[in-house]
Amino acid sequence: MVLERDLEEVAAKQDDLPDVGDVYDEDEEIAIADVFDREFVTERTDFESFDELVAKSPSEAGSGVELETIPHGEWDEFVAEQTDFDTEEAFVLAARDHWVAKQLDLA
């Protein structure tokens, strides 16, 4: 898996990266399950899916689509305890970079 810190370095070494428009349509919403896919979640947490991770969090949320119902402080603490990341922000950015790397065939 390409980590956040190497994404730019790996991309810079590629001669044939696709155009942004071929990878992502800015009018298209990206599903949270696509960003936090099974590969990312199983490698970086003790859970099998993002929905399972969210369902086990200290909230009423039962799936990733209900993520916004989790109070920020509780989610940050939960992420630090249940993932390879210290903060929600680090977790989200790493998932984003994982998604980008897959779209660019770098992962």
Side-chain angles (χ1 to χ4, degrees), residues 57-71:
S57 70
S59 72
E60 298 296 318
S63 69
V65 296
E66 299 172 341
L67 186 61
E68 69 275 355
T69 66
I70 302 172

Side-chain angles (χ1 to χ4, degrees), residues 27-46:
D27 295 326
E28 182 181 344
E29 188 171 318
I30 302 167
I32 197 164
D34 291 344
V35 177
F36 292 93
D37 67 7
R38 184 171 298 279
E39 178 186 6
F40 178 80
V41 172
T42 58
E43 287 182 7
R44 307 306 295 267
T45 77
D46 292 328

Side-chain angles (χ1 to χ4, degrees), residues 51-86:
D51 284 345
E52 179 186 0
L53 174 81
V54 173
K56 297 290 184 180
S57 70
S59 72
E60 298 296 318
S63 69
V65 296
E66 299 172 341
L67 186 61
E68 69 275 355
T69 66
I70 302 172
H72 181 68
E74 287 181 9
W75 182 244
D76 224 19
E77 185 177 317
F78 178 74
V79 165
E81 293 171 358
Q82 300 294 326
T83 75
D84 292 345
F85 304 94
D86 294 330

